Amino acid sequence: MAMAAHRLPSSSPLRSSLSRILRFSRLFSSQSSDDQTVLTVETSVPFTAHKCDPPPRTIDTTPKELLGFFREMSVMRRMEIAADTLYKAKLIRGFCHLYDGQEAVAVGMEAAITRRDAIITAYRDHCIYLARGGDLVSALAELMGRRAGCSKGKGGSMHFYKKDAQFYGGHGIVGAQIPLGCGIAFGQKYSKDETATFTLYGDGAANQGQLFEALNMAALWDLPVILVCENNHYGMGTAEWRASKSPAYYKRGDYVPGLKVNGMDVFAVKQACSFAKEHALKNGPIILEMDTYRYHGHSMSDPGSTYRTRDEITGVRQERDPIERIRKLILSHELATSSELKDVEKQIRKEVDDAIAQAKEIPMPDPSELFTNVYVKVIWA
């Protein structure tokens, strides 16, 4: 009791440390009394619209959301960097496509919708799985082909899946997920459950014929589908200007409205996705072009520096990085100090390291698993 009544000198290093720990705990606790204070931010650049009026650039947020965005994107970034190391150590085999640089698309989209809405994407899917509520251990276990992975270790990098969160995966065939996404949206409209499907694809898939065939049907039937082109400007090693006569992908739907969005700005993504969902539920399909950038190569077999310069990559990191933009907003609103944010990143590194250690201990699938999940058993009445 006597110790509880003792007051440390204001200059005491211990008091300073304790104060910092308490403040750090409050910052990332949902119990903070001021975490719902309304803050108004503006998207970094205006939206560019096709056949629709763009949403406003201003958007309300809270300290809790800002700090949450910082943490979520930092976890994704650290996991992808760790996956690079695991692949080089041959603990991840086969194909592996990393998402670092594009985190704002996954996080901003998730912030605008609910888990009842569906998402389907291509093979760059690890971080979208995390955004849908997946955990690090099941993500890393899947990457390493372990039985506790999100697809039982049988999907690997390109085939993450989370049915309870309406995440229909990772698909390895370029553009193949687009008609599937329109099919999911058809089911949503048929069920009249007021949900939508976000169907993601890259600029490399934007010239696929199946995109236009599926879009035609979706427009005819006014399906609640949002086609999201994650334009990171390179289809494998080919720059968009070499592959597309018209790289304005948000206009490529012709008769379907579109919106070009800064995909490196999580608030722009959130605003655009909220706008697009509302539009799709009332009027049918819409295209969102997310102007983003990947820091790694196309896959782990691609160094990513033979068709673009290192200066280009460094320039994007310095000027457009999605995590740094949120860091600057947090610091400008004095929600945390630079040192406290570094402490968060240290904690995240430990979480990822611990998850890797756990995933490594999980056994591989039993050989008998080769014959499961191939056919669906149908019992005829």
Side-chain angles (χ1 to χ4, degrees):
M1 294 296 292
M3 286 183 66
H6 179 69
R7 292 177 62 87
L8 292 167
S10 59
S11 60
S12 162
L14 178 57
R15 178 169 180 169
S16 174
S17 178
L18 287 171
S19 175
R20 190 157 167 263
I21 291 169
L22 288 170
R23 175 172 159 77
F24 177 81
S25 298
R26 287 197 303 272
L27 281 171
F28 290 89
S29 168
S30 59
Q31 305 303 316
S32 175
S33 60
D34 61 352
D35 62 1
Q36 295 301 322
T37 302
V38 176
L39 305 170
T40 301
V41 298
E42 187 175 72
T43 63
S44 50
V45 297
F47 298 103
T48 307
H50 169 67
K51 290 188 177 294
C52 64
D53 294 323
R57 290 181 63 185
T58 55
I59 183 170
D60 290 338
T61 186
T62 63
K64 180 180 179 181
E65 183 176 62
L66 263 172
L67 293 163
F69 283 168
F70 179 82
R71 192 176 210 291
E72 289 171 50
M73 289 194 288
S74 296
V75 169
M76 293 174 179
R77 179 74 54 88
R78 177 50 52 185
M79 181 185 73
E80 295 296 70
I81 291 170
D84 175 283
T85 303
L86 291 167
Y87 193 92
K88 289 171 180 173
K90 297 185 178 181
L91 288 167
I92 297 173
R93 309 302 289 262
F95 293 101
C96 185
H97 303 80
L98 303 181
Y99 201 72
D100 47 321
Q102 300 183 209
E103 298 93 346
V105 178
V107 173
M109 179 172 57
E110 192 65 44
I113 63 178
T114 75
R115 295 277 164 81
R116 293 178 63 240
D117 296 304
I119 297 178
I120 188 168
T121 189
Y123 38 73
R124 212 176 298 278
D125 58 355
H126 316 155
C127 294
I128 297 171
Y129 171 75
L130 288 188
R132 289 264 88 181
D135 64 277
L136 282 168
V137 174
S138 61
L140 289 158
E142 188 61 42
L143 285 169
M144 289 189 272
R146 309 303 169 112
R147 65 171 63 166
C150 59
S151 296
K152 300 183 179 180
K154 299 194 286 185
S157 170
M158 296 194 290
H159 302 288
F160 278 41
Y161 184 74
K162 193 170 177 20
K163 185 178 180 180
D164 62 355
Q166 310 301 315
F167 178 50
Y168 294 98
H171 291 263
I173 297 175
V174 176
Q177 74 280 4
I178 300 170
L180 295 178
C182 292
I184 295 167
F186 180 88
Q188 290 170 322
K189 181 163 185 176
Y190 187 83
S191 300
K192 299 179 181 179
D193 60 7
E194 291 299 301
T195 58
T197 296
F198 285 73
T199 301
L200 281 65
Y201 58 98
D203 52 289
N207 296 314
Q208 285 278 321
Q210 57 197 324
L211 164 61
F212 300 96
E213 293 172 289
L215 182 61
N216 178 64
M217 296 174 73
L220 281 171
W221 297 336
D222 297 327
L223 299 184
V225 62
I226 298 93
L227 300 181
V228 183
C229 177
E230 291 186 282
N231 180 12
N232 59 32
H233 302 280
Y234 294 94
M236 297 188 72
T238 303
E240 60 174 348
W241 62 268
R242 295 180 60 202
S244 298
K245 183 64 177 177
S246 172
Y249 300 110
Y250 69 103
K251 293 182 179 179
R252 296 282 286 277
D254 185 18
Y255 44 81
V256 171
L259 200 65
K260 185 173 182 178
V261 185
N262 180 5
M264 305 294 271
D265 179 348
V266 67
F267 286 109
V269 175
K270 179 184 176 183
Q271 186 82 319
C273 290
S274 179
F275 170 85
K277 178 183 173 181
E278 183 178 353
H279 172 93
L281 289 175
K282 293 178 181 177
N283 306 301
I286 183 171
I287 294 175
L288 299 180
E289 178 187 344
M290 299 294 178
D291 180 6
T292 187
Y293 197 84
R294 56 171 163 80
Y295 294 158
H296 268 85
H298 169 72
S299 68
M300 285 302 299
S301 61
D302 167 24
S305 56
T306 56
Y307 48 85
R308 57 183 182 175
T309 65
R310 294 191 182 278
D311 287 345
E312 177 183 315
I313 303 168
T314 301
V316 175
R317 282 182 176 274
Q318 292 175 346
E319 297 172 16
R320 300 186 64 209
D321 186 80
I323 298 175
E324 291 309 306
R325 173 171 167 75
I326 294 299
R327 189 194 305 272
K328 289 174 183 175
L329 281 171
I330 290 170
L331 295 176
S332 67
H333 286 285
E334 298 183 345
L335 303 177
T337 65
S338 179
S339 179
E340 286 167 338
L341 294 181
K342 286 180 181 177
D343 285 344
V344 174
E345 290 171 315
K346 288 178 184 176
Q347 177 61 30
I348 287 169
R349 181 175 296 200
K350 183 179 184 303
E351 289 174 18
V352 172
D353 288 345
D354 289 347
I356 291 170
Q358 290 181 57
K360 284 180 178 178
E361 296 300 314
I362 298 168
M364 298 288 186
D366 188 89
S368 64
E369 284 292 313
L370 282 170
F371 306 100
T372 62
N373 308 121
V374 178
Y375 298 106
V376 175
K377 290 184 179 179
V378 178
I379 300 175
W380 298 98

